Amino acid sequence: MNAPAIRELSYAQAIQEALAQAMDADPRVFLMGEDIGVYGGAFQVTGDLVHRYGEDRVMDTPIAELGAAGVAVGAALAGCRPVFEFQFSDFSALALEQIVNQAAKIRFMLGGKVSVPLVMRFPAGSGTGAAAQHSQSLEAWLAHVPGLKVIQPSTPYDIKGMLLAAIDDPDPVMVFEHKLLYKMKGDVPAEPYRVPIGKAIVRRAGTGISIVATSIMVHRALEAAEILSGEGIDAEVIDLRTLRPIDTATIIASVKKTGRLACVYEGVKTLGMGAEISAMIAESEAFDYLDAPILRLGGAEAPIPYNPVLEKASVPQTEVIVARVRDLLQGRI
Amino acid sequence: MNVQARREADPTNQRPFYRQFQPEALQDALRRMYLIRRFEEGAEDSYMRGLIHGTMHLSIGQEASAVGSCMHLRKTDYITSTHRGHGHCIAKGADPKLMFAEFFGKEEGYCRGRGGSMHIADVESGNLGANGIVAGGIPIAVGAALAIKKQKRDDVAVSFFGDGASNEGAFHEALNMASIWKLPVVFVCENNKYGMSVSTERSMAVEHVADRAAGYRMPGVIVDGNRIEDVSEAVMEATARARAGEGPSLIECKTYRIRGHSKSDRNRYRSKEEIEEWAAKDPIRHFELELIARGILDEAQVDTIRAAAEQEIAEAIDFAREGTDPTPDEVTRDVYTVDLA
């Protein structure tokens, strides 16, 4: 037997492959969203799937995020497995009612008698010059809602495996995909596989500081760690991968080892991922191991600006991570 | 209309409603209307006696639209309901014992006491749930109808909602999608004239909710919501159309809620005269008189049905009072299908 094929795919291609394999495996799975049919999706994620699976399984919806999200919830309740694409994560604000009041709570409100097997995909993040209403990172909003699971896969390998795990999941899973990752390439096995939801992964082992990062910030943190290693700073980089439920054990173990913690994320800094991880460490046995203040590097307290200089300045960049971690290690924070 | 006048109005019992349903089904419809009325009176009484907390939204006066709509439904058909949803639950076949247990917050309730009055559901009988969000259930019903179509079943989804919901964006988005995709869904609007305190005259640019159907190219039918036969005949046509793959319909039942919006209502926005005028059009009394006039029931049989409903509700309340309270350590139970801890 041949060894399983591993090819290089882009993050977007990996998503498309996961969607196709999920539809091949389970007739209940279908896709819905705006312009995901012949247009192929605003980011060409669904591509030509409509030609392979037909309009019944790759459904273009009207521009009606609230109603369409509700249709997805109802279909999930009645035996389907919808995978819903928001064209931009920002547009999910129009559909929060169905996500937050309905999808997240129906199982609980109904005493556990039903599940809502719904996957929603959110193209998110800045860096494309699309300005304030097409660039946000709103994952912390949804991670605040019990009943939802929220994932932020950072590599082509992870997005395929985590999306397939999300489609298997009996509960609503919100998948945040940074738009700058869509073209990133990486090794992806051809056969279907699952990457578990709720498990962080150490991307780079180190002893000097634990950097917990999400989505595109994982890559910037890894670049920063390489630069810092040249200065004798040995950073451990943890890819959180799932915002709810958070894998606290991996972070606690890392901080106990390194004695320092930095959180790097694109969402607005205040009340975001960094606040949660910092507080979790402060509440844990790792608190006694801390040798320095905790560093949070998040998005600016501002909407995402259009001007490219300002846009770049509004979210953590590699050089900022390097400088701030260096400051922390050198006792300047 | 007295009995004699009724006989003259429909001397040969030609109305489809009375021809379509056997006497047993008509008697059962009356029984369900009484169950709804007594359920809500029992809920009100239990609240006054401090047995249940929270609030409640009563549909007293609107029983005909709930029962008339659900008479055509099978167990595999779906409904979505509203905050004013006790009637829809009972009409779709829910057990008042388990409903009261839910109202009392007990483990024996439909939702193990986690949902309460505004979230009573009975998924096994096709009731996808009441809903605390105005218009929240409308797109969900359309989604259930989409699932029906994908699964090639000939079931339907019926979405109940009020006049207020027809001002929500979700209503308009949902009707549009149901129509472009020709889904088997029936939108049943119970227009009781007020969205909480604001009248339809003050909140709607058109006179009738049914007028809005034209914007989505589906039939929009207005019926007297206090007459079960009028409701039922319109829903019969709409469900037949839906099952035949011809798409959705909107039915507007003109009705009235005799009680206030909820427990906080001091009736500052409507007159006593208006309430009394509608109370005189009681849908249960109307149906009783019709059944008697048509010789389907006599007064003694009506009394028996009413007494049986009262008895069933009294027993349901006793059942609920003796139910089990959930324990505090179970607060996060059923948030996820597989407990995250």
Side-chain angles (χ1 to χ4, degrees), chain B residues 76 83 92 119 126 150 161 166 235 255 266 283 285 307 309 320 337:
Chain B
T76 49
H83 57 289
K92 190 69 168 59
H119 303 293
K150 284 182 178 298
F161 56 93
S166 80
V235 174
T255 185
R266 284 177 287 178
R285 191 59 193 153
T337 304

Side-chain angles (χ1 to χ4, degrees), chain A:
Chain A
M1 220 174 104
N2 293 331
I6 295 182
R7 306 82 15 98
E8 201 167 67
L9 291 187
S10 73
Y11 190 94
Q13 288 170 326
I15 296 171
Q16 189 183 117
E17 186 165 275
L19 295 173
Q21 289 177 347
M23 285 196 284
D24 287 339
D26 186 345
R28 298 173 301 173
V29 176
F30 74 98
L31 317 181
M32 56 188 293
E34 292 163 4
D35 307 294
I36 66 168
V38 289
Y39 195 97
F43 300 97
Q44 287 303 310
V45 169
T46 46
D48 68 350
L49 288 179
V50 70
H51 302 301
R52 292 158 59 193
Y53 294 92
E55 289 180 357
D56 284 347
R57 296 190 80 187
V58 184
M59 289 182 68
D60 275 328
T61 70
I63 302 173
E65 288 82 1
L66 170 61
V71 169
V73 173
L77 277 172
C80 295
R81 296 249 167 181
V83 181
F84 188 98
E85 176 179 305
F86 284 103
Q87 194 158 79
F88 286 80
S89 68
D90 314 66
F91 306 167
S92 69
L94 288 151
L96 280 182
E97 197 288 287
Q98 284 292 335
I99 303 171
V100 174
N101 290 327
Q102 311 294 344
K105 294 177 174 57
I106 285 175
R107 177 177 173 77
F108 180 84
M109 292 190 300
L110 271 50
K113 304 277 176 71
V114 293
S115 297
V116 184
L118 168 66
V119 174
M120 292 182 142
R121 299 180 33 246
F122 301 73
S126 68
T128 63
Q133 295 171 336
H134 292 71
S135 301
Q136 295 170 87
S137 297
L138 301 174
E139 58 279 350
W141 283 9
L142 297 183
H144 196 67
V145 181
L148 302 179
K149 296 179 182 177
V150 180
I151 62 174
Q152 293 182 274
S154 71
T155 66
Y157 180 90
D158 274 2
I159 186 67
K160 180 176 170 184
M162 293 185 85
L163 187 52
L164 284 170
I167 294 169
D168 287 345
D169 201 287
D171 297 316
V173 182
M174 309 290 113
V175 186
F176 280 79
E177 305 162 358
H178 200 292
K179 296 184 291 267
L180 295 183
L181 292 176
Y182 281 136
K183 289 189 175 153
M184 164 183 277
K185 292 202 164 172
D187 287 346
V188 178
E191 82 279 11
Y193 58 92
R194 270 74 180 163
V195 173
I197 292 168
K199 296 275 177 246
I201 186 169
V202 177
R203 294 282 183 206
R204 184 188 195 281
T207 54
I209 181 169
S210 304
I211 302 177
V212 179
T214 45
S215 192
I216 191 146
M217 293 302 159
V218 172
H219 303 285
R220 293 186 190 158
L222 286 167
E223 279 172 20
E226 279 310 305
I227 295 167
L228 289 163
S229 74
E231 303 174 15
I233 295 170
D234 184 21
E236 178 148 305
V237 176
I238 297 170
D239 180 352
L240 191 59
R241 299 202 287 194
T242 301
L243 207 48
R244 176 183 275 273
I246 285 183
D247 176 1
T248 55
T250 298
I251 304 168
I252 289 170
S254 176
V255 172
K256 282 167 76 174
K257 182 174 73 173
T258 65
R260 291 179 184 83
L261 172 65
C263 303
V264 189
Y265 52 110
E266 180 160 330
V268 170
K269 177 181 166 185
T270 302
L271 293 164
M273 177 275 262
E276 183 54 39
I277 301 290
S278 306
M280 182 273 290
I281 288 297
E283 287 177 332
S284 78
E285 75 264 23
F287 179 69
D288 283 337
Y289 292 78
L290 284 175
D291 295 326
I294 295 171
L295 179 62
R296 280 187 295 158
L297 295 175
E301 306 296 320
I304 301 292
Y306 170 65
N307 173 282
V309 174
L310 293 179
E311 184 183 26
K312 223 177 157 192
S314 70
V315 301
Q317 304 294 335
T318 304
E319 56 274 19
V320 176
I321 302 170
V322 170
R324 299 283 285 158
V325 170
R326 186 191 293 130
D327 286 348
L328 186 76
L329 270 290
Q330 294 175 356
R332 289 197 294 272
I333 291 179

Side-chain angles (χ1 to χ4, degrees), chain B residues 16-261:
Chain B
F17 177 73
Y18 292 101
R19 289 154 54 89
Q20 187 197 14
F21 290 109
Q22 297 295 313
E24 296 75 32
L26 297 171
Q27 289 168 20
D28 187 60
L30 181 66
R31 183 184 73 86
R32 282 178 201 252
M33 289 172 82
Y34 262 116
L35 275 180
I36 296 168
R37 179 70 58 89
R38 294 291 178 259
F39 180 91
E40 296 205 320
E41 288 169 350
E44 212 171 21
D45 181 61
S46 301
Y47 181 84
M48 242 106 83
R49 288 156 59 196
L51 296 172
I52 48 183
H53 75 156
T55 190
M56 65 186 70
H57 307 86
L58 303 177
S59 65
I60 289 174
Q62 301 182 190
E63 295 88 349
S65 53
V67 175
S69 299
C70 290
M71 287 175 79
H72 304 281
L73 302 185
R74 316 161 178 157
K75 205 172 172 183
T76 49
D77 292 327
Y78 298 110
I79 65 164
T80 64
S81 172
T82 71
H83 57 289
R84 203 174 305 287
H86 308 137
H88 310 139
C89 283
I90 291 174
K92 190 69 168 59
D95 181 343
K97 279 211 308 273
L98 306 185
M99 287 176 66
F100 260 119
E102 186 58 34
F103 225 138
F104 278 61
K106 305 295 187 183
E107 283 284 353
E108 290 80 0
Y110 271 115
C111 309
R112 310 180 67 113
R114 269 61 166 188
S117 160
M118 263 190 287
H119 303 293
I120 295 177
D122 178 17
V123 178
E124 278 176 22
S125 71
N127 176 359
L128 298 179
N131 210 305
I133 305 295
V134 170
I138 305 176
I140 293 176
V142 174
L146 176 65
I148 288 168
K149 189 171 181 183
K150 284 182 178 298
Q151 294 155 3
K152 302 192 179 0
R153 296 151 56 190
D154 70 343
D155 295 321
V156 299
V158 171
S159 182
F160 290 102
F161 56 93
D163 47 283
S166 80
N167 292 324
E168 290 274 13
F171 163 87
H172 294 273
E173 295 182 17
L175 263 69
N176 185 50
M177 280 182 275
S179 187
I180 58 175
W181 295 330
K182 277 204 161 185
L183 298 179
V185 54
V186 180
F187 301 100
V188 177
C189 177
E190 295 171 313
N191 179 350
N192 61 20
K193 293 170 67 77
Y194 297 91
M196 201 157 162
S197 70
V198 179
S199 68
T200 52
E201 287 82 7
R202 292 172 63 208
S203 62
M204 278 169 45
V206 289
E207 189 180 353
H208 306 293
V209 174
D211 295 343
R212 293 178 156 165
Y216 307 105
R217 218 159 83 167
M218 68 176 78
V221 180
I222 298 172
V223 298
D224 181 340
N226 283 25
R227 290 177 178 255
I228 188 170
E229 58 273 59
D230 291 16
V231 173
S232 179
E233 285 169 9
V235 174
M236 180 165 57
E237 206 176 320
T239 51
R241 193 176 127 80
R243 288 189 211 283
E246 290 164 24
S249 307
L250 169 61
I251 294 162
E252 178 180 9
C253 305
K254 301 279 192 188
T255 185
Y256 198 79
R257 68 169 149 73
I258 299 299
R259 295 294 193 273
H261 162 74

